[in-house]
Amino acid sequence: AGKLGRLGTCKTVKEIMIGEDTVIKFDGVPKGEACTIVLRGASTHLLDEMERSIHDALCILTQTIRESRVVLGGGCCELLMAQAVAQESVKTKGKEALAMDAFARALRQIPAILADNAGFDAADIVTSLRSEHSQGNHWMGVCMETGSIGDMRKYGVTESYKSKLQCLTSASEAAEMILRVDDIVKCAPRPREQRH
């Protein structure tokens, strides 16, 4: 006969209530090999959103295990990239320089969006952050703990290199596709039948 499954061990087995549901909880699984995440929310829309967020986080965690390189978070690497793109755009001639400036502006928006989403004063944070970066403090980013800027190395704020690279690649490909649209053709509206 074929195998039905793999036997394992745990320290305790309990029946617990989560909301109106009864579930079996296994505690003390060796090496933390098994884990269940229980989501509760007011609506199915909220639960779906939570599930997508957890799925995204687990995918990024998996990619980080495979490719262990990380970059500092809090918007500091975007500001550093924006500075590099802006410096190159000054040396570039023609319309390419305008596209490069726009891309640098888009990268500078990331710290502002982070600050806005956290409910902080984005204008104050971004200006302080740009000032620090211009002085060579490229590890400074938006700090969620203090509501201002902070050293991302000190706070341990990192992002997966592979995830960051994919975001930048997708953004630049989308911008390139938009720039390639050379003409927009408008069709005449369909005549409507007159009904009496």
Side-chain angles (χ1 to χ4, degrees):
K3 288 186 177 181
L4 296 176
R6 198 176 88 196
L7 287 177
T9 61
C10 67
K11 289 183 181 171
T12 60
V13 179
K14 297 179 194 169
E15 186 178 73
I16 61 169
M17 292 283 293
I18 297 178
E20 299 170 1
D21 299 323
T22 304
V23 295
I24 306 294
K25 180 181 178 189
F26 298 89
D27 269 334
V29 177
K31 300 180 194 171
E33 290 177 352
C35 179
T36 301
I37 299 172
V38 179
L39 301 176
R40 296 186 67 210
S43 67
T44 55
H45 174 71
L46 189 61
L47 284 170
D48 289 343
E49 196 61 38
M50 283 192 277
E51 187 177 356
R52 273 192 296 276
S53 295
I54 288 176
H55 177 266
D56 291 348
L58 290 173
C59 286
I60 288 174
L61 183 62
T62 304
Q63 289 301 320
T64 306
I65 289 169
R66 288 185 189 143
E67 167 62 75
S68 61
R69 288 186 289 177
V70 292
V71 295
L72 290 175
C76 67
C77 69
E78 284 86 357
L79 269 183
L80 185 58
M81 287 184 283
Q83 277 184 342
V85 172
Q87 285 171 1
E88 284 300 311
S89 75
V90 173
K91 301 173 191 172
T92 307
K93 294 180 182 177
K95 292 180 182 176
E96 238 180 73
L98 297 174
M100 291 170 77
D101 283 336
F103 195 72
R105 275 196 312 274
L107 286 169
R108 280 190 215 106
Q109 287 298 310
I110 301 297
I113 292 167
L114 285 172
D116 274 339
N117 286 346
F120 302 139
D121 182 5
D124 187 41
I125 288 173
V126 171
T127 53
S128 299
L129 204 52
R130 285 180 72 180
S131 172
E132 287 288 335
H133 275 251
S134 69
Q135 295 170 24
N137 301 325
H138 300 300
W139 49 85
M140 299 299 276
V142 180
C143 181
M144 297 297 157
E145 287 185 24
T146 62
S148 63
I149 62 173
D151 185 343
M152 296 295 101
R153 299 172 304 178
K154 175 186 165 192
Y155 290 102
V157 179
T158 59
E159 296 181 57
S160 163
Y161 167 77
K162 193 148 187 176
S163 171
K164 182 66 69 183
L165 181 63
Q166 184 58 48
C167 288
L168 284 168
T169 304
S170 298
S172 61
E173 285 173 357
E176 191 176 322
M177 272 191 350
I178 291 168
L179 289 172
R180 284 186 181 178
V181 174
D182 60 349
D183 196 11
I184 296 173
V185 178
K186 287 188 179 180
C187 296
R190 217 176 28 193
R192 295 187 183 188
E193 294 178 15
Q194 299 246 342
R195 294 182 185 172
H196 298 284

